[in-house]
Amino acid sequence: MTVADLVRRNGTDPAIRDRPFLLFDDFVLTHAEYYRESCRWAQMLLSRQPRHAPFHLGVLLDNLPEYLLALGGAALAGATVVGINNTQRGDNLARDIVH
């Protein structure tokens, strides 16, 4: 089972979909809401997918709910997530992004 399979299953299974997926401060996101938002991210990513290259997604986000949405969207879109280290600067950051 892939991450995309789990996101789909948990977002649509009546026994799971209304349970909390994410608790962040006062913010609560259910599995169904996570699935819907991940689908939205996947659609956006697929609209920007390179035609003749592996589908990699560089993610430079803090550890916030949006990071999980990017991960879920990438999984549903078939992309590989590459975390970009926000402590890098200059040539090192450029190398990480290009790589």
Side-chain angles (χ1 to χ4, degrees), residues 2-87:
T2 66
V3 171
D5 294 333
L6 289 171
V7 171
R8 276 189 209 94
R9 183 199 68 191
N10 292 351
T12 58
D13 183 333
I16 300 171
R17 67 180 178 212
D18 295 324
R19 292 182 189 172
F21 167 78
L22 174 67
L23 304 171
F24 184 81
D25 293 331
D26 294 332
F27 179 72
V28 179
L29 195 67
T30 67
H31 285 274
E33 291 166 332
Y34 178 69
Y35 176 55
R36 281 193 300 274
E37 284 300 304
S38 293
C39 287
R40 190 176 64 80
W41 275 71
Q43 289 174 342
M44 182 268 301
L45 294 172
L46 288 170
S47 74
R48 292 165 171 79
Q49 178 181 7
R51 298 205 187 275
H52 302 291
F55 191 10
H56 294 111
L57 173 65
V59 177
L60 177 61
L61 291 169
D62 288 327
N63 191 12
L64 296 169
E66 289 79 6
Y67 198 100
L68 292 175
L69 296 173
L71 291 175
L76 293 174
T80 299
V81 171
V82 180
I84 298 176
N85 186 340
N86 66 352
T87 64

